[in-house]
Amino acid sequence: MAGLRVVPTWRHGQERYYVLLPDGRNIAWYDRDAGRVSLLHDERRAGVLEALQPYLTGPVTVGPPPVPTASDLLRLNLHPDDDLAPNRPGEALLVALDRDPAPPRRLRGDPRRRELAAEQAVGGALDRLEGVGWRTLHSVPLPGGARIHHLAIGPAGLFCVHALNAHRQRVRVADPNVAVGRAGPQPLLRGLRHQADRAGLALTAEVRPLLALAEAAAVDLRVVPRELRVLPEGELAALAALGGVLKPADIEALYAHARDRRSWLRV
C-alpha cells in the first residue's frame, strides 16, 4: 500500500517495527523477537507485509494483536514523535553530542560526557527494576528547556530522579545545597524539588524527588533532606523492597499518561 512507512524502536534489548499511515496512525507492528506481525486491520495485510519485508527475519505469525493492556491501547494512539518511552538514558545528551561534538583536541574532557555516563548508569539501574513492577521514562522534556533525567513509577510511588556524577569524589549534602569534591555548593535540591512539583502537576499525582549519585567515593549527609531521598547508584535496587503505594494497574495508567509528550506541555 502506497504511503505506508515503518518506524523502528528499541527498548530493553527488544526490537519493534511500527507500520504507520501517512497521517501517523498505527496500523500494525512487528515484534522481531516474538516473530509476530500484529495487524489492527486485516484488510491491509498485503500492504503491511510488503512494507515490513526488508525488516522480516525468518518466518512470522500474522494476525490480530494479543489482548492489549490499557497502556498498550494508549500507545497505539500515540504518534511516535509524542511517545517518550523509546528515549534512552541520557537521550538529550546523546542528541546534543551528536549534533555538536567537542573539539577533538580539547585539553579537558567534554563535561557532557561525564553527565551522560551518570545518566546512563542511573537509568540502567532503574530499568533493571522493571522485572519487579517498575516502569521508567528517561529524558522527559519540560517547557522552558528543562528536563527530568528519569521518572520512575513503581509500587513505592513516583520518583523524579536526578543523576549526579560524583566522579569518584566525596559528595556533601546540606539541604538545599550539594557539593562534589572541592567544588562550591550548589542549590541542586531546590531545583530537584521544583521539577518533582512540575511532574506532580502534569500527572496529577504525588511525585517525590530523588538524587542518585553515580561514582560517589563517599556521601556526607549530616541531616536527612526534607521529603527527598539521596541514594548512591548502587543502592537504587533497594527501591524494589518498597511498596504499598501503587497497584500494578495504577502504575500502568500513570506510565501511559507520562509517556505522552503532550502531558508535559503546561507545567
Side-chain angles (χ1 to χ4, degrees):
M1 177 183 293
L4 294 183
R5 63 188 179 99
V6 178
V7 176
T9 64
W10 180 277
R11 184 162 175 82
H12 304 317
Q14 296 182 341
E15 290 180 278
R16 177 173 281 190
Y17 297 81
Y18 290 96
V19 182
L20 308 180
L21 292 170
D23 62 4
R25 284 182 297 144
N26 196 348
I27 60 169
W29 61 93
Y30 166 46
D31 284 305
R32 176 168 282 180
D33 292 340
R36 179 182 181 86
V37 175
S38 296
L39 293 167
L40 296 181
H41 303 283
D42 190 66
E43 67 273 13
R44 293 195 168 104
R45 176 187 295 250
V48 165
L49 293 178
E50 181 180 354
L52 285 172
Q53 188 58 45
Y55 306 94
L56 300 178
T57 57
V60 295
T61 301
V62 182
V67 177
T69 64
S71 178
D72 292 330
L73 288 172
L74 180 58
R75 185 193 66 243
L76 295 178
N77 290 321
L78 274 182
H79 189 282
D81 291 343
D82 290 326
D83 192 358
L84 300 176
N87 282 6
R88 300 160 292 179
E91 182 74 33
L93 288 171
L94 287 165
V95 172
L97 286 164
D98 182 59
R99 292 176 177 173
D100 183 25
R105 295 187 179 181
R106 184 169 180 160
L107 294 178
R108 305 184 68 177
D110 190 332
R112 295 176 298 176
R113 293 285 180 188
R114 293 192 292 273
E115 295 172 15
L116 175 61
E119 291 191 40
Q120 289 177 329
V122 170
L126 293 171
D127 281 342
R128 287 191 287 274
L129 293 173
E130 184 168 2
V132 290
W134 287 76
R135 306 283 263 167
T136 303
L137 293 168
H138 308 288
S139 280
V140 177
L142 298 174
R147 65 186 177 87
I148 294 171
H149 290 180
H150 315 281
L151 181 73
I153 309 171
L158 295 90
F159 291 89
C160 173
V161 183
H162 184 91
L164 179 65
N165 190 346
H167 200 53
R168 297 184 292 277
Q169 299 179 84
R170 177 182 291 273
V171 178
R172 303 183 306 280
V173 180
D175 197 0
N177 296 321
V178 178
V180 178
R182 296 181 180 179
Q186 300 292 328
L188 182 60
L189 302 188
R190 185 178 299 140
L192 178 53
R193 287 191 176 100
H194 181 56
Q195 285 196 344
D197 288 343
R198 294 178 74 180
L201 288 173
L203 304 176
T204 60
E206 181 184 10
V207 180
R208 286 174 283 180
L210 190 158
L211 179 63
L213 305 174
E215 293 191 331
V219 181
D220 183 358
L221 187 63
R222 297 180 180 178
V223 178
V224 177
R226 173 182 52 86
E227 299 178 349
L228 185 148
R229 287 177 178 268
V230 179
L231 291 176
E233 160 213 337
E235 295 182 16
L236 289 171
L239 292 174
L242 305 177
V245 177
L246 295 177
K247 298 178 181 179
D250 299 325
I251 294 170
E252 288 302 316
L254 284 165
Y255 178 73
H257 185 28
R259 69 187 295 175
D260 188 341
R261 186 186 302 272
R262 296 167 297 182
S263 299
W264 302 92
L265 296 180
R266 297 184 180 180
V267 296

